[in-house]
Amino acid sequence: MKILIVDDDKEIVELLSIYVKNEGYEPVTAYSGKEALTKLATNHDIKLMILDIMMPNMNGIDVIKEVRTDSQIPIIIVSAKTADMDKIQALITGADDYVAKPFNPLEVMARVKSLLRRSEHQVTADIPDVLEVGSLTIKKDSHEVITMTGKQVQLTALEFGILYLLASHPNRVFSADEIFERVWQQESIVSAKTVMVHVSHLRDKIEEATGGEKVIETVWGVGYKVAG
């Protein structure tokens, strides 16, 4: 998952990039408003933007106005402008959150994850109740997974949650931490092994029921996905 970091201060961009990477996201960087718009136009998988206001040529408020003409991507302002009216202007224009400089990078990342969860929940609400993945039919309401031949795959609630999450976002790679937070619905602590075990059991059940079909792919060093 890509996050766009926009600030004319290179040290701030580098600092936030480190924290973004540590959380398992991929930073995309820009040092001006115009460059930010170019990066957004050429990277369609950017899911959130961290944006400064005071930048030369095109400030953050103008960037928000331009972005909001055709996108609802979450935007977090990180700015040295701390007056209430500055915050109100940014939020009215279309920013989702506002953090004042100097800032704690951990607070920024907490807000990033919160906004991404909220954004994902809104997207998930539009996902159909019945999904087709390979030879499988996945029914959200009844928690059923059925093969093409009519055989039901017996899954635990957590296994079904993992499969539905991946299947409802084809080709998107989810890290173990993301899967844990979304399926278990709690903050990830040491989740990688827990998720790995559940994914392994899920794969075994699917392959047994389908005669060897490999539905879930591992993207080494990143996470898991279902091909679209």
Side-chain angles (χ1 to χ4, degrees), residues 99-116:
V99 179
K101 295 179 180 177
F103 59 87
N104 183 333
L106 293 175
E107 179 188 355
V108 175
M109 293 315 303
R111 296 186 185 217
V112 164
K113 289 191 284 186
S114 176
L115 274 176
L116 287 174

Side-chain angles (χ1 to χ4, degrees), residues 16-37:
L16 286 172
S17 293
I18 290 170
Y19 278 83
V20 163
K21 286 180 182 177
N22 286 344
E23 293 294 339
Y25 307 120
E26 179 181 346
V28 177
T29 60
Y31 301 95
S32 70
K34 290 184 178 180
E35 186 183 4
L37 294 177

Side-chain angles (χ1 to χ4, degrees), residues 109-127:
M109 293 315 303
R111 296 186 185 217
V112 164
K113 289 191 284 186
S114 176
L115 274 176
L116 287 174
R117 281 196 296 268
R118 187 194 314 169
S119 176
E120 192 60 44
H121 176 75
Q122 292 169 348
V123 171
T124 303
D126 296 329
I127 295 171

Side-chain angles (χ1 to χ4, degrees), residues 11-93:
E11 289 186 0
I12 288 178
V13 171
E14 290 174 1
L15 175 65
L16 286 172
S17 293
I18 290 170
Y19 278 83
V20 163
K21 286 180 182 177
N22 286 344
E23 293 294 339
Y25 307 120
E26 179 181 346
V28 177
T29 60
Y31 301 95
S32 70
K34 290 184 178 180
E35 186 183 4
L37 294 177
T38 298
K39 292 291 179 70
L40 273 178
T42 55
N43 290 269
H44 299 293
D45 49 351
I46 290 174
K47 300 301 182 183
L48 180 143
M49 176 163 54
I50 301 172
L51 177 67
D52 185 25
I53 289 182
M54 294 185 290
M55 295 182 291
N57 301 321
M58 186 178 195
N59 65 36
I61 297 298
D62 290 335
V63 172
I64 297 171
K65 290 177 181 177
E66 187 69 26
V67 170
R68 286 292 178 252
T69 61
D70 62 2
S71 173
Q72 292 303 311
I73 182 175
I75 299 173
I76 299 176
I77 293 294
V78 178
S79 174
K81 300 186 77 173
T82 58
D84 287 344
M85 285 309 300
D86 294 321
K87 296 179 182 179
I88 292 169
Q89 182 186 13
L91 295 170
I92 289 176
T93 304

